[in-house]
Amino acid sequence: MQLLKNKVVFLTGGTEGIGYECAKIYHKAGAKVSLITHKESSLQQCRMQFFNDDIHYILADVSNPADVQSAIEETIGHFGRIDVIHNNAGVSSPSKTVCGTTDEEWDKVFNVNVKGIYHTTKFGIEALKQSRGTILNTGSLVGNIGQELHAAYTATKGAVNTLTKSMALDYAPFGIRVNAVAPAGVWTPMLRRWSNQQPNVAHIENYLDEIHPLGYCPEGDVVADACLFLISEQARFITGCILPVSGGAELGYRKYMGQQVQKNDVVLPVDKKEKS
């Protein structure tokens, strides 16, 4: 069964990582997909791997209102409608405390992760009212539980969570559902870049496996499966939901960071520095 047959999806950050996995599964489910990215190289690489008449590529920066307005109009001109806006574009850098973050770094993270949603909604809402469509935001578990050395990023993802709920209330009268997915660790190009920025690079892969009680840090396809469900008619009575796609990591963060190691019948605390 094609859950998205004849639907049109406007997908930001769609040429790599979770977005790319979503693009593939949406297309397989019958959707026409407009893929938005600000990276020319990523767009061209994705086009070589994933070229089809039902896939439309647009170079645009979600933090730029003119770019987003143009991309929405181009999508409607190309496909005739929009049924889904999936706000997946995001940045995670810098890995810093509040005091270590510059004004420029702070603004960049918020302009992409939060204001990008503002832009796509502002320019795409009329199309969604016509189609009684849906909005999906890619959040993060750290928007609920916080994370060391990621003040700006976690603040944006907390904002995404509450924004999702407010939008769900605002647009429910128009039959528009608004939800979010909240992954923990997912192996994407962005996560690999993040890993190399951490103080203890040698331990980061083991750390990312261990924070998930199911035992491993997944690839983006597990998130894409959840996204497909939320934008399909299978989730027709779900709105305002922040769905963890985390392998139980909201439990594992606490268990792993505070766990104890027993050696020779003496319980010793784990050195947190080795696990951060």
Side-chain angles (χ1 to χ4, degrees):
M1 180 173 62
Q2 290 192 307
L3 294 178
L4 302 181
K5 186 175 181 180
N6 298 323
K7 299 292 186 181
V8 175
V9 180
F10 183 92
L11 172 60
T12 68
T15 57
E16 61 180 44
I18 291 172
Y20 181 60
E21 295 298 328
C22 286
K24 289 192 298 183
I25 198 170
Y26 294 168
H27 180 256
K28 186 177 180 181
K32 298 175 174 63
V33 185
S34 190
L35 291 181
I36 318 304
T37 182
H38 74 290
K39 298 179 182 177
E40 176 72 37
S41 59
S42 178
L43 185 151
Q44 296 302 337
Q45 183 177 7
C46 187
R47 192 197 299 270
M48 291 175 60
Q49 299 172 344
F50 190 28
F51 182 78
N52 187 285
D53 289 342
D54 291 336
I55 307 297
H56 185 60
Y57 291 91
I58 301 177
L59 195 65
D61 181 351
V62 297
S63 68
N64 184 313
D67 277 12
V68 176
Q69 183 175 16
S70 177
I72 291 285
E73 292 173 352
E74 184 175 336
T75 299
I76 295 172
H78 189 78
F79 289 126
R81 59 186 289 152
I82 295 176
D83 298 280
V84 179
I85 293 177
H86 181 175
N87 295 296
N88 178 71
V91 292
S92 61
S93 297
S95 297
K96 298 179 179 179
T97 64
V98 168
C99 297
T101 305
T102 67
D103 284 356
E104 292 76 15
E105 289 170 333
W106 186 272
D107 288 344
K108 179 181 178 181
V109 181
F110 271 86
N111 285 342
V112 174
N113 294 3
V114 184
K115 205 166 187 180
I117 298 174
Y118 165 75
H119 289 149
T120 62
T121 305
K122 180 178 180 178
F123 297 116
I125 194 63
E126 292 304 320
L128 292 182
K129 286 179 181 179
Q130 292 178 28
S131 64
R132 296 179 68 84
T134 186
I135 297 172
L136 179 64
N137 300 321
T138 299
S140 172
L141 188 62
V142 299
N144 289 335
I145 66 174
Q147 188 176 20
E148 291 176 309
L149 297 177
H150 288 85
Y153 178 70
T154 58
T156 65
K157 293 304 182 179
V160 169
N161 287 351
T162 51
L163 180 60
T164 297
K165 293 176 182 292
S166 293
M167 289 168 62
L169 292 170
D170 288 338
Y171 300 121
F174 303 99
I176 297 171
R177 299 184 299 105
V178 186
N179 294 294
V181 288
V186 180
W187 284 119
T188 65
M190 187 170 76
L191 183 66
R192 295 188 187 283
R193 290 191 294 270
W194 171 87
S195 298
N196 291 328
Q197 297 171 5
Q198 302 315 300
N200 222 325
V201 176
H203 293 273
I204 201 68
E205 186 168 343
N206 182 60
Y207 164 72
L208 288 168
D209 284 340
E210 290 292 337
I211 64 172
H212 300 85
L214 290 182
Y216 65 97
C217 182
E219 300 292 332
D221 60 324
V222 302
V223 182
D225 285 341
C227 291
L228 174 61
F229 165 70
L230 284 174
I231 67 172
S232 76
E233 284 298 302
Q234 300 289 309
R236 60 192 175 276
F237 205 62
I238 297 175
T239 195
C241 173
I242 314 299
L243 179 65
V245 189
S246 59
E250 64 272 27
L251 310 173
Y253 271 64
R254 299 182 179 95
K255 181 187 73 173
Y256 183 62
M257 298 303 289
Q259 73 180 349
Q260 310 229 305
V261 176
Q262 188 163 352
K263 184 176 181 181
N264 297 328
D265 295 325
V266 177
V267 178
L268 303 173
V270 171
D271 182 356
K272 187 176 180 181
K273 292 181 181 179
E274 291 295 303
K275 304 301 181 185
S276 63

